[in-house]
Amino acid sequence: MLLRGLGRMEIIRITDDAGAVVAPDWLARAEAVHRQLRERLPPGYAGVLRRVFAGGGRMVVAAEGGAVAGVAVYRIHENTHAGVQLYVDDLVTDAAQRSRGVGRALLDWLARHGRERGCELLALDSGTQRTRAHAFYFREGMPITAFHFSRRLG
């Protein structure tokens, strides 16, 4: 796949459908980009992500050459309000690669992957402060369909 301003980019699966890490070298390379979105991830990135994978999370990266241009962490689950859905925990493009099609390539891959697995919906939450991300999601045909409420425990 060719992207604006980039060479050949590929989507690399970090986990298989069962959550096993199939590309540990790419998992390590993803950390710096992933932390651009999730600055508060605790130390021991690979261990944290392996726990996320054990809980149903899956991961892909968008890569060009040996560099990670974007990261997506997602899960497929069923609930009562949406049926089977692909929920995106994290979607981040490296700051130096934004507006070049990386996010769209990841979203397209996620949508295709979800359809192939019988999902009825692709969903994500985005922090209220992330206005640039919201503009991207609107352009990608993703309207706001709900409010997300939360309370810290402990």
Side-chain angles (χ1 to χ4, degrees):
M1 164 185 323
L2 294 175
L3 298 179
R4 294 184 307 265
L6 293 174
R8 186 158 297 280
M9 191 198 63
E10 60 184 322
I11 304 297
I12 298 169
R13 292 185 69 175
I14 304 303
T15 54
D16 63 16
D17 285 342
V21 175
V22 296
D25 55 330
W26 283 102
L27 177 61
R29 290 184 220 174
E31 181 175 2
V33 174
H34 199 176
R35 285 187 183 280
Q36 290 177 27
L37 175 66
R38 301 290 180 221
E39 298 168 355
R40 293 184 178 177
L41 278 170
Y45 179 77
V48 170
L49 269 290
R50 286 177 193 276
R51 289 191 301 276
V52 169
F53 304 151
R58 305 296 178 257
M59 184 175 180
V60 296
V61 297
E64 185 200 12
V68 171
V71 174
V73 177
Y74 66 95
R75 59 192 67 239
I76 294 174
H77 68 273
E78 184 172 10
N79 63 27
T80 57
H81 85 274
V84 180
Q85 67 176 300
L86 188 148
Y87 179 81
V88 181
D89 291 11
D90 298 331
L91 180 67
V92 59
T93 298
D94 180 38
Q97 303 297 333
R98 293 200 179 124
S99 298
R100 295 183 177 171
V102 176
R104 174 176 280 167
L106 284 166
L107 269 182
D108 288 349
W109 186 93
L110 291 164
R112 198 168 39 258
H113 186 71
R115 279 192 297 274
E116 290 168 357
R117 280 147 184 81
C119 295
E120 303 168 43
L121 184 73
L122 184 147
L124 57 82
D125 291 334
S126 181
T128 55
Q129 77 283 8
R130 299 193 180 282
T131 56
R132 288 188 62 207
H134 303 162
F136 168 71
Y137 297 133
F138 291 143
R139 280 194 311 272
E140 295 302 311
M142 299 179 77
I144 296 171
T145 58
F147 291 103
H148 177 92
F149 297 93
S150 63
R151 178 189 302 170
R152 292 264 175 218
L153 302 176

